[in-house]
Each structure stands twice: as structure tokens, then as C-alpha cells.
């Protein structure tokens, strides 16, 4: 049963309810042969009114129960812009059907959602906010899936693959099978094609789907050397703390960047024998490393290997000295508000990222007006957040009607984002080898540039729909894909009447008549 009560389309339909030419409130509807799946259900941190949630209006027009309209909801990871509208959708809008996510996402989501709920509920203009009970009831409806485990619901099969990005993040493979026909969509969520200290890189096989839906946060950015970024970061912190005896504020989300940068600083502090205090604000951030011990199989292979070595050593000889778990930080301690005006240098990781509220914004108000203090913004800042305004160079920022902050501190934008860059997006396309591409979760100007490049350089149909815009991905009979050697290209061209070619691909509607 379709939400618009029309016959099923032969192709695949895509409607972004959020993240269409925008970053935030990721929520995509994909319909295959009349069965609709919701991909993520997030909120937009740049808005404080009804616009923070996706526009669910298209789902409500038919008047049917939502579980008859939506076959399943897939949550790729715990970040608020991918998960924070889920309790609203289940407990207030009324969806009562299947929800799939990984075990780390299921474990971390409740704390993040409660933290977000508490912050928003303290604001006079936050309406329609869910309650702690609603969060609990929502989480009880979740089914946990393992990496590469296939879950079948009707004609649909869902398989998650490792995405990097944050602990527990997955890329979902969605396959519809019926009547001897198979249709396949791959949804990336957020992913990282570069391994980090605490996480591996995305690991998705060559699925050859009809459609790849990919994030495009850094659609036009190609990052430089990771070693250089780390060098610049460490020496900027050292210069501020040692040479100027000032304070460093690093706004981060509770799980993800904080572990990556904390591992980096911990190692540097050991090498330099520094005694300057490093703090982490918030109970969730301070205890987040427990998730990395609990879900070790989702971390970087080197961390898993170290843990295995410890286990083997302990089982063979109890006198063998075990290596310290890297997430048991020696230099990093919980932050207390009474330290806020302490004299002398310090480094504080404060949540949330983007200076979107909470402790990070409170510390920013106190430290930003002081010369030679340092603010490091280590990732993307959504439009409308204080972090975004800082990056745009604003020197006087109105926080609320009573508070204006004069920015005299140093500001450094250092991209330690867990999102892949343009090179990684193209790498994902080449690895997965889709017939068509849809780009979402990116700023409009950048996403349109990447769309043009994918069409021009890869010669693939590429779409960049706006929120609420329905697009249909055509599936041509006999339209097949083959990877061929360059010396066979001319022979294939002579026998084909549809050719889409790039450096590594050749697509043809008559490929079976050519050489294998």
C-alpha cells in the first residue's frame, strides 16, 4: 500500500523529508515496487522551532496507519541529525513498525536523546518535545542488527555494513526481491573512507545497486595530509597553553571526535611530559570510552588486536605486564564549572559540538572575549549554529536577547570531521558501482557542483533533490553493468546503443552480446 494510493512505479522513488540540499534532519523515503522505507529520522540543530524535525506531512495525507505506509525505519548511527526525531515519529506521530539499528547505536542513543531533550525543554520556544518515557518506549521498539547480518521483512532484505564515521555507524544495503526480479538501493548514512585512530574506514562490498544514496557534507573539499592536520592541531594547542599560558576550548559531540582527539592529545602529552590539565565536560562525554570497550569489534583493528594480545597474555602468564587500554586516559579528567575562571592554561573538550548549546556554549561565552585564548572547531558546523557564525568571521554574536559575545580569542578551523571528503565520495561510488546516484546531506551550492561532476566525469545519472521533491529513478529493461578492460572498449561500443563510460566503467543496454 502506497502513501499516495497510486500504482507502484517500475523504478525507485526517493523523497527527502530532510537533508535535501541541506545538512541536518536526515530523513529519506525510498519506495521500491510500492514498499516504502524511511532512512534515518533526525533533527536540525540550526532550528529551534518546528523546522528542527522533518516534514512528515507526505506520510499523513493518506490517513492510513503509518506502519502500512512505512515498511521499516533504518537508523544508520546515533548522531542527532540522524536519530533525534525518532521518538517524535514513533510516540507522537504514531509509527509502530520495525526499526533497525546497530548495537552501539541502540546503546548510545538514549543518553544522547535525553541530553538533547533536556536542553530543548529548557528553552521557552521548544514545543512538541518528547518526554523521557517516550524515549524509553521508542527504544523498546528497536531491533538490533549485527554487521553483515541480513534481516528480511516481506519482500525487503536489509544488510548493514561498516561505515566508519562514529562507533556503530552503518551503510545499509536494501534489496527488494519478488517475481524473479531484484532491485537494490544502498544508503550511506554518514561514512568515512579514511581510517582513524579509533575507527576503521568504511567497508562496503561491490554491491552494484540500482541506486546509491550518498551523503555529500564535504562535496567540494579534498583534505590535505592527515599528519599535517594533526601536527597543526597539536602545536596550536601547545602554543596557546605553553607559550601564552591561555585556555583552549574544543567543542565536540560526546562520542566520536572527542575520542579521536583525546587519543591524539594523550599521546602528545606523554611525549612532551606536559602537566597542563585536559578536561572533558559532561557525564556522557566523560564516560563515553566505556562504549568503546563494550563494542570493541566496531573500533580500529589495531585497538582490537591490542585487546586480544592482552587477553592472550593474561591467559598464558599472569605475570606478563598488560598494555594499558588506550581509552583509560591518564591526562584527561572530568570538567567542573568551578574550573571555568581558574588562572593558568587548560584544554577543555566541551559538548555539544558546533557551539549549539550546553557546556560548550557556556564556556565560549566566558573565554571568547579573552585575547590569546584559542577556540578550535574540529568539524562541520550547521548553518544557524554559533559555530557556523564564528567560522564566517562574525566578531559580535548574539546568543540570545540578553547576551552578546565579543570574540577576541583566536579561532582555528581544523577539519577532523568524521565525514568523508569529495575524494572519498567518488571512491565510494567507484567501489559500490551503482547505476544511479542521489546526493543528499550537503550544502546546496556544493552538492550541485558534485552532481555535475559525477554526471560529467563518471557519466552516471545523478540527482540532488530538494526537501519534499519526489524523484523517480528509471530502471531500464536489460540495462546491465560490466567492468571491462580498456582494450575491449571499442568492441563493446560497436555492439551497444547505450554507452555510459568513465575511466573504469562501461555501462550498456546490450552488454550480453559483447565479449564477457
Amino acid at each position: 500500500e502506497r502513501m499516495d494510493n497510486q500504482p507502484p512505479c517500475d523504478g525507485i522513488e526517493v523523497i527527502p523529508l530532510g537533508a535535501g540540499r541541506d545538512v541536518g534532519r536526515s530523513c529519506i523515503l525510498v519506495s521500491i515496487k510500492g514498499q516504502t522505507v524511511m532512512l534515518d529520522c533526525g533533527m536540525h540543530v540550526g532550528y529551534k522551532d518546528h523546522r528542527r524535525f522533518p516534514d512528515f506531512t507526505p506520510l499523513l495525507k493518506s490517513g492510513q496507519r503509518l506502519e502500512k505506509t512505512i515498511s521499516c525505519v533504518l537508523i544508520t548511527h546515533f548522531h542527532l541529525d540522524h536519530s533525534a526525531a525518532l521518538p517524535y515519529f514513533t510516540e507522537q506521530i504514531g509509527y509502530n513498525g520495525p526499526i533497525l539499528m546497530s548495537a552501539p547505536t541502540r546503546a548510545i542513543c538514549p543518553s544522547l536523546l535525553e541530553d538533547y531533550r533536556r536542553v530543548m525543554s529548557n528553552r521557552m520556544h521548544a514545543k512538541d518535545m518528547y518526554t523521557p518515557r517516550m524515549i524509553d518506549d521508542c527504544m523498546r521498539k528497536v531491533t538490533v542488527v549485527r554487521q553483515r547480518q541480513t534481516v528480511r521483512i516481506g519482500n525487503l532484505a536489509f544488510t548493514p555494513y561498516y561505515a566508519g564515521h562514529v562507533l556503530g555507524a552503518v551503510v545499509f544495503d536494501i534489496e527488494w526481491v519478488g517475481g524473479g526480479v531484484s532491485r537494490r538501493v544502498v544508503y550511506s548514512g554518514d561514512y568515512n573512507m579514511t581510517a582513524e585512530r579509533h575507527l576503521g574506514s568504511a567497508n562496503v562490498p561491490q554491491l552494484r545497486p540500482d541506486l546509491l544514496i550518498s551523503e555529500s557534507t564535504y562535496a567540494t573539499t579534498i583534505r590535505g595530509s592527515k599528519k599535517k592536520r594533526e601536527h597543526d592541531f597539536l602545536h596550536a594547542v601547545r602554543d596557546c597553553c605553553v607559550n601564552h599560558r591561555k585556555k583552549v576550548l574544543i567543542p565536540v559531540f560526546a562520542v566520536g571526535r572527542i575520542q579521536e582527539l583525546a587519543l591524539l592529545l594523550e599521546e602528545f602529552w606523554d611525549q612532551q611530559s606536559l602537566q597542563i590539565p585536559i578536561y572533558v565536560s559532561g557525564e556522557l562525554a566523560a564516560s563515553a570510552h566505556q562504549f568503546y570497550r563494550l563494542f570493541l569489534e566496531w573500533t580500529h583493528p589495531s585497538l582490537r588486536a591490542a585487546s586480544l594480545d592482552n587477553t592472550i597474555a593474561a591467559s598464558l602468564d599472569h605475570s606478563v605486564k598488560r598494555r594499558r587500554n588506550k581509552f583509560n586516559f591518564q591526562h584527561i579528567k572530568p570538567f567542573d564549572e568551578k574550573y571555568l575562571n581558574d588562572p593558568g592554561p587548560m584544554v577543555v573538550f566541551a559538548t555539544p559540538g558546533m557551539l549549539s548549546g550546553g557546556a560548550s556554549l557556556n564556556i565560549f561565552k566566558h573565554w571568547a572575549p579573552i585575547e590569546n585564548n584559542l577556540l578550535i572547531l574540529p568539524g562541520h558546523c550547521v548553518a544557524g549554529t554559533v559555530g557556523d557564525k564564528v567560522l564566517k568571521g562574525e566578531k559580535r554574536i548574539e546568543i540570545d536577547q540578553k547576551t552578546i559575545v565579543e570574540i577576541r580569542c583566536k579561532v582555528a578551523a581544523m577539519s577532523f570531521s568524521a565525514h568523508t571528503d569529495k575524494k572519498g565520495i567518488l571512491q565510494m561510488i567507484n567501489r559500490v558501482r551503482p547505476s544511479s546516484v542521489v546526493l543528499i546531506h550537503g550544502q546546496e551550492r556544493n552538492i550541485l557542483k558534485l552532481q555535475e561532476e559525477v554526471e560529467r566525469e563518471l557519466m552516471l545519472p545523478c540527482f540532488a533533490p530538494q526537501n519534499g521533491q519526489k524523484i523517480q529513478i528509471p530502471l531500464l529493461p536489460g540495462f546491465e553493468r560490466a567492468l571491462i578492460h580498456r582494450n575491449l572498449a571499442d568492441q563493446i561500443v560497436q555492439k551497444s546503443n547505450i554507452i555510459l563510460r568513465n575511466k573504469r566503467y562501461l555501462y550498456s543496454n546490450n552488454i550480453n552480446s559483447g565479449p564477457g
Side-chain angles (χ1 to χ4, degrees):
E1 294 180 74
R2 290 169 44 74
M3 60 185 176
D4 51 9
N5 293 319
Q6 295 179 2
C9 161
D10 234 3
I12 297 169
E13 291 182 353
V14 178
I15 307 175
L17 303 184
R21 300 190 191 181
D22 190 17
V23 178
R25 64 182 174 202
S26 286
C27 187
I28 316 297
L29 298 182
V30 172
S31 297
I32 311 173
K33 293 287 187 178
Q35 286 191 270
T36 301
V37 179
M38 179 179 286
L39 310 176
D40 282 326
C41 193
M43 48 72 67
H44 198 300
V45 297
Y47 294 121
K48 300 178 181 68
D49 55 19
H50 68 279
R51 293 173 295 173
R52 68 185 183 277
F53 291 136
D55 181 6
F56 296 117
T57 304
L59 294 173
L60 305 176
K61 287 181 178 178
S62 68
Q64 297 178 0
R65 292 175 58 190
L66 286 171
E67 47 271 23
K68 288 193 173 184
T69 300
I70 303 293
S71 298
C72 187
V73 175
L74 307 179
I75 303 297
T76 58
H77 63 290
F78 56 73
H79 276 162
L80 296 177
D81 62 329
H82 291 257
S83 68
L86 188 61
Y88 176 71
F89 184 58
T90 60
E91 308 311 306
Q92 291 172 268
I93 300 296
Y95 175 74
N96 199 36
I99 304 167
L100 303 182
M101 63 179 68
S102 72
T105 301
R106 171 63 181 82
I108 296 169
C109 258
S111 298
L112 292 181
L113 293 174
E114 171 56 22
D115 190 54
Y116 168 67
R117 183 206 65 78
R118 187 170 57 251
V119 170
M120 293 302 295
S121 296
N122 289 335
R123 296 176 177 176
M124 297 296 292
H125 43 257
K127 298 178 180 178
D128 300 323
M129 205 60 224
Y130 40 76
T131 65
R133 175 66 181 273
M134 290 178 182
I135 294 174
D136 292 341
D137 290 344
C138 172
M139 290 294 109
R140 289 192 187 98
K141 298 172 182 175
V142 169
T143 298
V144 167
V145 288
R146 301 184 306 275
Q147 292 181 51
R148 297 178 178 253
Q149 173 193 0
T150 298
V151 175
R152 301 186 184 278
I153 299 174
N155 292 81
L156 293 166
F158 307 99
T159 308
Y161 293 95
Y162 189 83
H165 186 61
V166 293
L167 191 71
V170 296
V171 172
F172 271 108
D173 172 34
I174 306 152
E175 185 178 22
W176 184 96
V177 180
V181 177
S182 172
R183 298 289 183 238
R184 172 168 265 148
V185 174
V186 172
Y187 173 58
S188 75
D190 292 345
Y191 61 99
N192 196 347
M193 299 299 285
T194 303
E196 301 179 282
R197 274 178 163 72
H198 73 302
L199 294 175
S201 59
N203 186 6
V204 184
Q206 188 182 117
L207 294 168
R208 297 181 181 271
D210 299 289
L211 174 64
L212 168 66
I213 303 175
S214 175
E215 68 133 315
S216 313
T217 312
Y218 289 96
T220 59
T221 300
I222 297 180
R223 296 195 188 98
S225 163
K226 180 182 176 184
K227 286 187 177 180
K228 185 179 186 306
R229 290 201 308 274
E230 291 179 346
H231 175 275
D232 292 345
F233 169 76
L234 293 171
H235 286 272
V237 172
R238 191 182 190 283
D239 180 65
C240 177
C241 291
V242 175
N243 297 337
H244 293 286
R245 308 297 294 173
K246 293 293 184 177
K247 298 174 172 61
V248 180
L249 170 62
I250 308 172
V252 288
F253 290 104
V255 186
R257 292 310 81 208
I258 189 170
Q259 282 75 35
E260 182 73 7
L261 296 177
L263 286 169
L264 186 59
L265 274 185
E266 179 88 357
E267 183 180 317
F268 186 70
W269 249 234
D270 278 338
Q271 292 171 352
Q272 299 285 313
S273 300
L274 296 175
Q275 300 302 315
I276 295 164
I278 305 174
Y279 297 115
V280 176
S281 76
E283 293 181 9
L284 177 60
S287 61
H289 61 271
Q290 69 179 316
F291 294 119
Y292 287 83
R293 293 199 297 264
L294 182 61
F295 299 109
L296 200 61
E297 71 274 18
W298 291 84
T299 63
H300 192 281
S302 66
L303 299 178
R304 299 200 300 269
S307 176
L308 180 61
D309 288 347
N310 279 344
T311 302
I312 294 172
S315 64
L316 295 177
D317 185 352
H318 293 287
S319 66
V320 174
K321 186 177 181 180
R322 301 177 67 175
R323 286 183 284 177
R324 176 169 61 87
N325 186 304
K326 289 189 176 182
F327 293 110
N328 290 332
F329 298 112
Q330 302 299 300
H331 297 283
I332 301 173
K333 308 298 180 185
F335 180 75
D336 191 301
E337 282 193 7
K338 66 184 181 184
Y339 305 151
L340 194 60
N341 296 313
D342 278 3
M346 69 178 72
V347 180
V348 177
F349 291 103
T351 60
M354 308 186 195
L355 297 170
S356 56
S360 64
L361 185 58
N362 184 47
I363 297 171
F364 170 78
K365 293 175 189 176
H366 285 79
W367 291 1
I370 301 174
E371 290 185 2
N372 289 322
N373 278 349
L374 175 62
L375 169 66
I376 296 179
L377 293 165
H380 178 80
C381 291
V382 169
T385 60
V386 173
D388 176 61
K389 294 175 182 178
V390 171
L391 289 177
K392 288 178 178 176
E394 294 187 25
K395 295 301 181 183
R396 296 182 81 253
I397 296 179
E398 183 177 339
I399 306 298
D400 52 46
Q401 293 181 348
K402 299 179 180 179
T403 310
I404 295 178
V405 176
E406 300 276 353
I407 301 177
R408 300 186 184 91
C409 68
K410 295 179 181 178
V411 176
M414 297 185 176
S415 181
F416 285 91
S417 173
H419 292 273
T420 198
D421 62 0
K422 173 186 169 183
K423 181 180 177 182
I425 296 169
L426 297 177
Q427 185 182 348
M428 175 65 84
I429 294 172
N430 277 322
R431 178 183 294 182
V432 174
R433 295 179 186 170
S435 297
S436 299
V437 176
V438 166
L439 299 175
I440 55 161
H441 199 285
Q443 294 177 345
E444 182 169 19
R445 179 180 60 181
N446 297 337
I447 213 170
L448 293 177
K449 285 183 180 178
L450 182 58
Q451 177 192 17
E452 181 182 348
E453 183 167 342
V454 170
E455 291 178 333
R456 183 182 68 250
E457 300 297 332
L458 303 184
M459 299 198 72
L460 285 172
C462 187
F463 306 86
Q466 297 175 330
N467 288 331
Q469 179 186 357
K470 179 191 292 186
I471 60 169
Q472 293 189 355
I473 312 298
L475 303 173
L476 303 180
F479 191 74
E480 301 181 49
R481 177 171 55 257
L483 178 65
I484 66 168
H485 297 293
R486 290 185 182 183
N487 61 348
L488 296 179
D490 291 339
Q491 299 177 52
I492 297 289
V493 168
Q494 294 173 7
K495 298 183 179 182
S496 300
N497 40 17
I498 295 181
I499 295 294
L500 298 174
R501 181 180 179 186
N502 66 18
K503 295 177 182 179
R504 299 181 61 192
Y505 289 72
L506 200 114
Y507 291 67
S508 170
N509 75 330
N510 196 21
I511 199 77
N512 287 335
S513 63

